[in-house]
Amino acid sequence: MKNTLSPSFSRRSFIKTSALAGGGMLIGFNLFQACKPEAKPPVDISQLNFNDFNAFIKIADNGMVTIFSPNPEIGQGVKTSMPMIIAEELDVSWDNVHVVQGALDTKNFTRQVAGGSQSIRFGWESLRQTGATARQMLINAAAAKWGVDASSCKTENGTIINANGDKLSYGEVVKEAAALEVPENVTLKDPKDFNIIGTDASNVDIDKIITGKPLFGLDYKEEGMAYAVVLRPPAFGKKLESYDDAATKAISGVQDVVRFGDKVAVLAKDTWTAMKGKKALEATWTSDSKLENTEAHDKILTDLLNGKEFKTMRADGDVKKAFAAADQVIERTYESPFLPHNCMEPMNFFADVTEEKVRLVGPIQTPAGTARRVAELLEREAEDVSVEMTRMGGGFGRRLYGDFALEAAEISKLAKRPVKVVYSREDDMTAGIYRPSIKYRISASVKDGKITGYHLKEASINSNMYGLIPNFFPAGAIENYQVDVAAYDSKITTGAWRAPYTNFLSFAEQSFFDELAEILEVDRIKLRLDLLQKVKGTTDERIQYSPERLENVIKVAVEKSGWGNAKEGVYQGFSAYYCHNTHVAEVAEVELENDVPVVKKVTCIVDCGIVVNPLGAKNQIEGGVIDGVGHAMYGDLSFKDGEPQSKNFDKYRLIRINETPIVETHFIENGLSPTGLGEPTLPPAGAAVANAIKAAKGIRLYKQPFIKHMKAKAPLG
C-alpha cells in the first residue's frame, strides 16, 4: 500500500522540514572508490553543474546525485544508511550517489547530533519525504516538457518514463525541476518496492579507512598549525598552584607554553615534541582536604541505598503494603564500577580563533552545542563560530561533551594562532568523562507463589539522570511497583556511556528475574512471558515498550538458540530487554576452559523495524554485544585519592580478539518504522552471560566485572 503525504508547505519551509532528518546522514566519501583503491569516479564532480533541491540533495546536469550528510559519523553507519533512504525515494541508482559531509548549519539542519541511537528513527519519514518530493518535482518538470499529465509518468534509476516509453534523465530536467513549486502531494514507495533499503551496502568510507586516507580528526592539519598537548590536574580535586616551564622551553620544536585555568598547554611543531614538552613541565598542585576513593564510594552508595533521601520516579499501587503482606521478600544488590570510554581515536580538536571568526574542526557528537559553548567561553556571537566535522574513531558518549574543543578554542585565543589539541591515551583515560559507579537494590514480594510487589532503588555517583528508566519492563507488569533514585555529588566528572541508563540496569534486572524464577521454581522464560501478558492492552501511556514485540523476540530467541537443548558442556543464559525504542533478546553460551567461563556464542534477536542496511546493522549489533560482554567481564576503573588507577591498556582490561564470541543475528521482519540500533544490543549481553555463568559454575554474580568477582568467590583455573 502506498503512503501519500500532503505537506502543504512552501519551498523554503520544505528545506527546513526535510532537515528534521538531521538525525543525520554523514561525512564525505566517494562511492566509486569503495571497492577498488585505484577506481575513479565516472566524472569529475567538482566540474559538474549542480542544482540544489534542498539542504540534502544536489543533482548535476548529467544525473549524478550528491547527498549531504549533516550529522556526525561515529562508526554507527548513518553516513551510509541515511543517504540510502533518500536515494530510495529519489529512485536513483546507488552507484550514482555521492555523499558529502555537511558542516554545522543550524538554519537548514536540525538535530545535528550523534547520540541515543535516534538518527534513523527521527530521520525516517523526513528523509523519505525529502527524496520523494525531489523525485516528484523531477517528474513534474519532465511532464511539462512532454505536455503530458505527471500521473502518467514513472521513474526508474534516475530516469523519468512516460506512457509512450519516452525517457528523460534527471539531469535533462534538473534545472526546470529546481525552479518548480513544492508539490502538494507526495507518494512514498511501498516498502515491498524498495530496491536500496534492505540491501547490503558497504561503509561508504571503507576504502579510505583501510588505506589510511585522511578522514578522522587526528588526520586533520593546516599549515602553520601548532600541536597542543595539555597538562591537567593529576587527580580530581587538585588545583594548579605553580609550574616551571624552563626545561620545556629548552626542547627544540617547542613553540609556546600557555596556562589556562588549572591546565598548562605545550605548543610544538608536532605531537611528539609537545608530549616531550609536557613531560618536562614541573608543576605544583594543591589538594582538597578530602580526595575521593573507590572504597569510600562503596560506603557512600550503600549509605544512600539505606537512607531515606530518594526521589521517586514512579509509584504504582502500594509497595510497602505488598511487602508487609508477603510470604517472602527477595532482595538483591548489584554493583558496577566507573568505566572510561576508550575510543580508538583519542580526543582531539582543531581551533583557529581570530578577531573575525572562530573556526573549529574535529570529531564531535554535538556540533551545535559545542559551538554554543565555545561562543559563550570566548564571549563571541554564535554566528562567529563555525564547526566542520570529521569522521570519529568512536564516540560512545564521550564526544557528546566537547570539553576538548573548548580547550582548543581557549588555547588558540591565548596563543593567537591555530592549534590542534591532541590527547595521549593517558590523557584520554584520566581526564574524564566516565560512566558513573552505580548500585541497584531490587526487592520483590511474593504471595502465594506470585510476584506482588517490585521496588527498584538506584544510588549513583553524580546525577541519576544516567540511571533508571521507570517506564521500561517490568513497569505495568506488577501491580505494586516503585522506582527510587538518589545520587552523591562527586568531583569526578561523569556522563553518558554507550547505552546510557540501561548498560548496567539491564544486567541487574534480568539477573534478578532469573534468580526469582529459581526461587519460585518456575521456568525463567515463562516467568517473563507471564508478566508480559499483564501489560497487553494497557491504557497506561507511560509504558514505553511493546509487550507483544518483547514477547516475540523472547520466543524467537528460544527457537533460534535451541534454548534448553545445548550440547554437553555448553551452558546457556537468557536475557531480554527494551531500550532505545528497540526490543532485543539474547542467549549466551558459555563453556568452561580450565574451570574458567568462556563466552563462545551469543544468539541475538532484534526487533528494530525495517532494516535499512542489513550489513551495517549486523555490524552494530555484533559490536554492541561484544562491547557488552567485554565490559561486563573485564571493565573496571578505580580511584585512589582522586586519581584514576588505570591510565593505559597495560592496566585497563578490554576484551581481546580471541575472547570475542560468535554473534548470530536474527531480525524480526514486521515492516514497522525503524528504531535504534547502535546501543540496544549492549545492555542485555551482561545478564545473558551472568545467567550462563550461573548455569556453568553455580555462581550468582552481583558485581561487575565478572572475572574479578568470580576470583573473589573462588579460584579460577
Side-chain angles (χ1 to χ4, degrees):
M1 181 177 178
K2 291 186 177 180
N3 183 0
T4 301
L5 301 179
S6 300
S8 300
F9 39 54
S10 67
R11 178 175 175 77
R12 183 181 181 119
S13 67
F14 168 70
I15 291 175
K16 183 176 181 181
T17 301
S18 67
L20 291 175
M25 294 165 279
L26 305 150
I27 299 182
F29 79 103
N30 181 348
L31 256 175
F32 299 93
Q33 293 179 353
C35 298
K36 297 180 180 179
E38 301 305 318
K40 301 295 182 185
V43 291
D44 180 359
I45 297 178
S46 65
Q47 303 302 314
L48 291 179
N49 179 22
F50 282 101
N51 278 83
D52 292 342
F53 265 78
N54 49 57
F56 291 94
I57 304 170
K58 282 187 176 182
I59 300 176
D61 52 11
N62 75 336
M64 299 300 296
V65 177
T66 295
I67 298 177
F68 286 88
S69 297
N71 275 36
E73 170 63 60
I74 55 176
Q76 80 279 45
V78 290
K79 180 180 177 180
T80 303
S81 56
M82 299 193 83
M84 288 173 70
I85 298 171
I86 289 181
E88 180 69 74
E89 292 292 349
L90 185 59
D91 203 6
V92 293
S93 169
W94 184 238
D95 289 337
N96 290 338
V97 173
H98 299 264
V99 178
V100 175
Q101 172 64 53
L104 176 64
D105 182 352
T106 56
K107 293 181 180 179
N108 284 323
F109 302 126
T110 61
R111 202 185 180 274
Q112 283 186 273
V113 174
S117 298
Q118 298 299 297
S119 293
I120 295 292
R121 177 172 173 257
F122 277 123
W124 175 247
E125 290 297 336
S126 296
L127 289 168
R128 293 183 69 193
Q129 185 175 310
T130 296
T133 301
R135 183 184 79 237
Q136 189 60 53
M137 293 166 72
L138 291 159
I139 290 174
N140 292 348
K145 207 166 190 176
W146 283 320
V148 301
D149 193 306
S151 64
S152 67
C153 302
K154 64 179 182 178
T155 60
E156 184 178 310
N157 285 333
T159 302
I160 305 106
I161 307 169
N162 66 22
N164 296 323
D166 299 322
K167 297 180 180 180
L168 286 170
S169 72
Y170 285 179
E172 292 177 278
V173 296
V174 66
K175 292 179 182 178
E176 295 88 345
L180 295 177
E181 292 295 319
V182 175
E184 291 294 323
N185 295 293
V186 178
T187 301
L188 300 182
K189 282 187 176 182
D190 189 312
K192 69 178 177 58
D193 297 324
F194 286 163
N195 297 309
I196 297 174
I197 292 173
T199 62
D200 289 341
S202 297
N203 182 323
V204 295
D205 281 332
I206 191 63
D207 179 65
K208 291 183 178 180
I209 291 171
I210 63 177
T211 57
K213 299 295 192 304
L215 284 171
F216 299 90
L218 282 176
D219 298 324
Y220 188 81
K221 62 181 69 176
E222 288 191 6
E223 191 166 342
M225 171 187 86
Y227 290 85
V229 174
V230 179
L231 176 69
R232 301 174 182 84
F236 292 92
K238 288 195 173 185
K239 296 184 179 299
L240 179 64
E241 183 177 274
S242 62
Y243 69 97
D244 184 343
D245 60 10
T248 296
K249 288 183 174 179
I251 296 174
S252 176
V254 170
Q255 299 167 339
D256 202 356
V257 178
V258 177
R259 176 175 179 170
F260 60 111
D262 288 313
K263 306 173 185 178
V264 182
V266 177
L267 281 65
K269 64 177 183 177
D270 54 52
T271 306
W272 179 242
T273 302
M275 288 180 174
K276 287 196 296 182
K278 172 191 169 184
K279 189 175 182 179
L281 283 171
E282 295 182 7
T284 302
W285 307 91
T286 59
S287 300
D288 289 351
S289 58
K290 186 179 180 182
L291 296 174
E292 296 180 60
N293 296 281
T294 294
E295 290 182 4
H297 289 155
D298 183 71
K299 183 178 185 305
I300 287 167
L301 294 179
T302 298
D303 289 345
L304 280 175
L305 287 177
N306 293 333
K308 297 181 179 179
E309 298 299 318
F310 279 88
K311 178 181 178 182
T312 298
M313 306 294 288
R314 176 169 174 149
D316 299 345
D318 190 331
V319 166
K320 287 184 179 180
K321 186 176 180 180
F323 280 33
D327 298 328
Q328 184 180 13
V329 174
I330 298 98
E331 181 177 282
R332 299 291 183 266
T333 300
Y334 301 85
E335 304 176 25
S336 67
F338 288 93
L339 289 180
H341 294 80
N342 282 331
C343 306
M344 183 175 291
E345 176 192 23
M347 301 304 108
N348 64 89
F349 225 77
F350 169 88
D352 186 8
V353 178
T354 66
E355 292 295 326
E356 294 76 29
K357 62 180 177 60
V358 178
R359 182 165 167 261
L360 306 173
V361 184
I364 185 70
Q365 291 180 245
T366 51
T370 299
R372 183 173 60 253
R373 291 175 64 201
V374 168
E376 292 170 355
L377 173 71
L378 302 180
E379 298 181 336
R380 301 287 290 264
E381 296 297 323
E383 52 267 26
D384 291 346
V385 182
S386 66
V387 179
E388 300 167 36
M389 290 170 280
T390 63
R391 191 178 182 98
M392 284 174 257
F396 311 114
R398 176 62 182 92
R399 286 187 161 98
L400 289 169
Y401 299 96
D403 47 301
F404 41 89
L406 270 70
E407 287 182 343
E410 191 168 4
I411 295 167
S412 177
K413 178 185 177 181
L414 293 170
K416 295 181 171 55
R417 64 184 302 171
V419 302
K420 178 178 173 181
V421 168
V422 178
Y423 283 42
S424 66
R425 177 58 61 191
E426 288 82 359
D427 293 333
D428 205 52
M429 289 188 68
T430 58
I433 294 167
Y434 309 106
R435 184 189 81 171
S437 178
I438 295 177
K439 287 190 180 185
Y440 293 122
R441 180 169 292 165
I442 309 178
S443 307
S445 58
V446 176
K447 180 72 173 177
D448 299 328
K450 303 294 183 183
I451 302 170
T452 58
Y454 188 91
H455 192 187
L456 174 60
K457 287 185 177 182
E458 174 193 90
S460 173
I461 298 294
N462 291 333
S463 172
N464 52 40
M465 69 177 290
Y466 296 111
L468 298 169
I469 301 294
N471 300 315
F472 288 6
F473 180 82
I478 300 171
E479 183 179 358
N480 303 293
Y481 172 82
Q482 186 166 323
V483 175
D484 294 330
V485 297
Y488 164 73
D489 292 332
S490 168
K491 295 182 180 67
I492 298 171
T493 53
T494 59
W497 189 92
R498 189 175 188 177
Y501 318 106
T502 58
N503 51 59
F504 180 69
L505 176 59
S506 175
F507 155 70
E509 290 194 309
Q510 286 295 300
S511 296
F512 185 74
F513 278 110
D514 243 45
E515 189 167 2
L516 271 182
E518 290 177 356
I519 292 170
L520 296 175
E521 298 182 341
V522 298
D523 180 82
R524 65 204 67 216
I525 305 297
K526 186 176 186 301
L527 174 67
R528 292 169 169 89
L529 294 177
D530 286 348
L531 287 171
L532 287 172
Q533 303 312 306
K534 299 178 181 180
V535 194
K536 291 182 178 179
T538 182
T539 57
D540 185 348
E541 295 182 354
R542 297 173 297 171
I543 301 296
Q544 295 182 30
Y545 64 95
S546 162
E548 292 83 5
R549 294 175 78 171
L550 192 53
E551 175 187 58
N552 192 36
V553 294
I554 290 173
K555 289 181 176 179
V556 175
V558 168
E559 174 195 348
K560 297 296 184 181
S561 68
W563 175 258
N565 295 304
K567 65 180 181 181
E568 186 176 353
V570 175
Y571 303 90
Q572 294 179 313
F574 183 86
S575 177
Y577 207 70
Y578 163 90
C579 67
H580 298 84
N581 311 103
T582 292
H583 302 76
V584 176
E586 296 179 13
V587 174
E589 295 185 359
V590 163
E591 297 179 20
L592 296 177
E593 296 181 359
N594 298 320
D595 203 37
V596 177
V598 178
V599 185
K600 293 293 188 178
K601 180 181 178 182
V602 177
T603 303
C604 187
I605 314 302
V606 180
D607 181 351
C608 61
I610 292 172
V611 179
V612 176
N613 179 8
L615 178 62
K618 287 178 182 177
N619 289 338
Q620 288 298 294
I621 288 165
E622 292 176 8
V625 170
I626 292 168
D627 203 4
V629 170
H631 281 92
M633 291 287 284
Y634 310 111
D636 191 17
L637 182 68
S638 61
F639 289 83
K640 183 177 181 180
D641 295 330
E643 185 175 355
Q645 296 302 287
S646 300
K647 300 180 181 180
N648 209 319
F649 295 146
D650 59 331
K651 291 187 178 179
Y652 186 82
R653 180 76 156 85
L654 288 167
I655 192 169
R656 296 163 185 162
I657 194 165
N658 64 314
E659 296 165 338
T660 57
I662 295 170
V663 181
E664 181 182 298
T665 300
H666 300 274
F667 293 107
I668 301 296
E669 297 182 6
N670 52 25
L672 299 175
S673 296
T675 55
L677 201 54
E679 297 166 285
T681 63
L682 184 151
V689 170
N691 292 333
I693 290 173
K694 172 59 169 63
K697 291 188 63 68
I699 298 173
R700 179 62 69 182
L701 294 164
Y702 303 99
K703 300 179 182 181
Q704 291 185 359
F706 298 156
I707 291 293
K708 174 182 176 180
H709 294 292
M710 279 191 290
K711 287 181 179 179
K713 287 176 177 289
L716 293 177

